[in-house]
Amino acid sequence: MTAKRDAPRACLLLAGMKERETEWLHAFSIQAPDMRIIHEDEIDAPENIDYCLIWRQRPGLLARLVRLKAVFSLGAGVDALLSDPSIPEWLPIIRMAEPGLTEGMVEYILWQTLFHHRRIWELIEAQRRKEWRPHNYPAPWDRRVGVMGLGVLGKAVALKLAAFGFSVSGWSRSAKEIPGVLCYNGRTELASFLETAEILICLLPLTVETRGILGARLFAQLPPGASLVNAARGAHLVEEDLLEALRVSHLSAATLDVFNEEPLPPTHPFWKHPRIFITPHNASITDPETAIAEICRQIARLEGGLAPEHTASRARDY
Ligand code: NDP
Ligand code: OXD
């Protein structure tokens, strides 16, 4: 880890970081030694705090910080911050967009795409039965993968899958041009996007428009035998619709990293489902080293009178 001698002299509050706090405090002390870092239980002078880096926020906390210039979200998804009415509307909310988080997601989705492409679960099940059962699978270019959301993460994922050789399409709100990726946008093009998506990857933000989007209606538009990978938010998925689509074998399998209730309760039917593969909301993790470099860059922009980048928009809801 390298020290950033040009890191700005600001006062930054770390809030809602839980078990990751020690790691972050250490990283700030090395990379931004001139920055004053305050812990949320030690706020003696709220009027001295310039910035806040936050994950699971305590409602109302930010309203007390009268000098706050911007809020940094520890994660890329800002649904929880945008739904906190106590955060003043004028306060910039900066989404986490940093190379460590992006690369982690690219790696996770490539892993899961290969898992579903090769139907690895069939091999695992055969091994348990001590059965030697080679099965066929298409070449990557004959496998059509659909990426929902072509933002910071979805675009990087789509480019990697295309470079790997998969036949990739993507869907976003506004029109896009991404080399090697067939791009669709808006509700009117959703059906055309879905009808070829044999492996569907969700990397959408959670908004009023996208809540519950992974439901019976959408599943019916996927080709029979399709797989789902949801690494966005649990509330994108209608859980009972997934169970039904798997029961009737319209969908083959699903990988879920995110859930309506986290941690997933021990009694939840997903745990024991033979075709649902669970990871505990760690598809990707913000990397303190690369993220602090990005936070310092954004603070330098703000202190220099420039608008921050990757800000959430209340009008768009992401
Ligand atoms: P971005 O805001 O950069 O990208 C969002 C994409 O979704 C954009 O392409 C946007 O379209 C598209 N989109 C938004 N609303 C709609 C809509 N109604 N219809 C179609 N497309 C829509 O977000 P990121 O890529 O940085 O992150 C995506 C999500 O991934 C996060 O919100 C978070 O929930 C999740 N995440 C999960 C992690 C995990 O470990 N499981 C880790 C990190 C993130 P347009 O380009 O036109 O704006
Ligand atoms: C994020 C997440 O939004 O980890 O970054 O879920």
Side-chain angles (χ1 to χ4, degrees):
M1 208 180 259
T2 47
K4 290 269 181 296
R5 305 221 177 275
D6 56 348
R9 288 172 181 276
C11 177
L12 180 138
L13 172 73
L14 282 189
M17 313 278 286
K18 292 192 183 155
E19 62 280 357
R20 295 203 67 199
E21 196 174 78
T22 312
E23 179 193 4
W24 278 83
L25 282 170
H26 178 68
F28 269 111
S29 72
I30 292 172
Q31 283 196 266
D34 290 341
M35 208 182 288
R36 193 168 159 231
I37 308 295
I38 312 254
H39 180 278
E40 71 184 295
D41 295 329
E42 295 164 356
I43 306 174
D44 49 355
E47 66 281 5
N48 289 343
I49 295 171
D50 303 297
Y51 300 101
C52 179
L53 172 60
I54 197 161
W55 187 223
R56 303 265 178 240
Q57 79 265 31
R58 218 190 282 159
L61 171 73
L62 299 183
R64 292 173 53 208
L65 312 180
V66 289
R67 198 174 88 182
L68 210 54
K69 299 173 193 165
V71 180
F72 290 93
S73 166
L74 180 67
V78 286
D79 39 290
L81 282 167
L82 288 177
S83 63
D84 181 345
S86 72
I87 301 181
E89 295 231 338
W90 54 264
L91 195 63
I93 296 177
I94 303 176
R95 300 185 327 96
M96 187 53 73
E98 60 92 8
L101 187 64
T102 303
E103 282 314 307
M105 187 59 84
V106 166
E107 181 184 281
Y108 178 86
I109 298 294
L110 182 59
W111 166 44
Q112 285 305 318
T113 302
L114 288 166
F115 180 83
H116 288 276
H117 168 60
R118 293 247 184 161
R119 305 196 313 276
I120 302 291
W121 62 86
E122 291 186 6
L123 300 175
I124 295 169
E125 286 167 10
Q127 179 178 349
R128 287 208 185 103
R129 294 191 303 266
K130 299 183 185 164
E131 281 174 12
W132 186 267
R133 231 178 223 282
H135 66 240
N136 287 339
Y137 41 84
W141 47 90
D142 288 328
R143 177 69 79 196
R144 290 163 306 172
V145 184
V147 182
M148 300 183 86
L150 293 172
V152 174
L153 301 179
K155 181 180 176 188
V157 159
L159 282 168
K160 175 64 90 182
L161 293 174
F164 194 86
F166 287 109
S167 175
V168 183
S169 30
W171 182 69
S172 53
R173 210 169 66 118
S174 57
K176 298 265 180 289
E177 277 183 28
I178 303 176
V181 178
L182 189 54
C183 294
Y184 297 87
N185 68 91
R187 283 277 163 177
T188 50
E189 295 187 5
L190 180 58
S192 311
F193 162 76
L194 292 172
E195 69 188 15
T196 65
E198 294 172 299
I199 300 174
L200 183 71
I201 287 149
C202 180
L203 283 172
L204 289 168
L206 181 63
T207 68
V208 173
E209 284 180 21
T210 65
R211 182 176 290 272
I213 192 167
L214 303 174
R217 196 155 163 243
L218 179 145
F219 296 150
Q221 296 174 76
L222 292 171
S227 287
L228 170 71
V229 179
N230 184 18
R233 285 289 180 265
H236 284 123
L237 177 68
V238 184
E239 295 187 345
E240 54 277 25
D241 291 359
L242 173 64
L243 290 170
E244 179 59 14
L246 290 167
R247 192 187 66 78
V248 299
S249 298
H250 179 62
L251 292 189
S252 300
T255 294
L256 306 176
D257 183 59
V258 284
F259 303 89
N260 265 315
E261 191 180 343
E262 294 180 2
L264 189 63
T267 52
H268 200 287
F270 284 175
W271 281 116
K272 287 194 166 173
H273 197 290
R275 291 283 187 277
I276 294 180
F277 305 98
I278 289 172
T279 52
H281 199 150
N282 70 342
S284 187
I285 300 171
T286 302
D287 179 328
E289 184 171 355
T290 40
I292 290 173
E294 172 64 11
I295 289 168
C296 290
R297 188 186 71 82
Q298 292 267 31
I299 291 180
R301 280 183 73 85
L302 281 148
E303 298 292 326
L306 295 172
E309 294 167 350
H310 304 296
T311 45
S313 148
R314 284 181 171 80
R316 282 183 331 190
D317 201 19
Y318 65 97

